[in-house]
Amino acid sequence: FRASWMPLTDRLLAQHNAADGSREIIVYSPDDPSVSKVFCQFPSDLNDWTLDGFSISADEEYILVAVNQTNLYRHSRISHYAVIAVNNSDTGVEGKLVGWLHNGAKLRLAVWSTTGKSLIYVTSGATDMYLVRNIEEAATSER
């Protein structure tokens, strides 16, 4: 169970494993925790990976997922970061894997901007910081 609070909204998002083995993000209402709905199912490409956390872009069109996290020091970690496009159409909620940040290399940090679909990330050597203005152009299929 991993939870994430969405700023400026009245909902809580949590990742859990469904009965059929798939992984999904569920939206809960803080006013009534019994009310929930599936926000997005993770693509099956990520089923073999250990999911360590997620965050959703400000425009709610993409999910950034930290996978296979490795501890460096007491409070330092590096992870691979996958980008998932959210499909909230009437036909389904399964997300599509857009790709991996920085050609699939492990990164120290990746954070969405407060508007749109931009993000910033720091490489594992902590020497380079990258600003990504359009996530679809930056995410690659390599990992």
Side-chain angles (χ1 to χ4, degrees), residues 89-102:
S89 69
D90 295 335
T91 59
V93 292
E94 183 169 354
K96 174 184 165 241
L97 181 64
V98 174
W100 299 85
L101 287 182
H102 205 69

Side-chain angles (χ1 to χ4, degrees), residues 6 9 11 39 56-62 86 88 116:
M6 287 296 293
T9 62
R11 58 191 174 160
F39 179 74
I56 298 177
S57 64
D59 62 6
E60 297 185 5
E61 292 181 10
Y62 296 93
V86 176
N88 274 326

Side-chain angles (χ1 to χ4, degrees), residues 31-42:
D31 298 330
D32 185 1
S34 65
V35 175
S36 65
K37 72 172 193 163
V38 176
F39 179 74
C40 179
Q41 286 182 337
F42 288 115

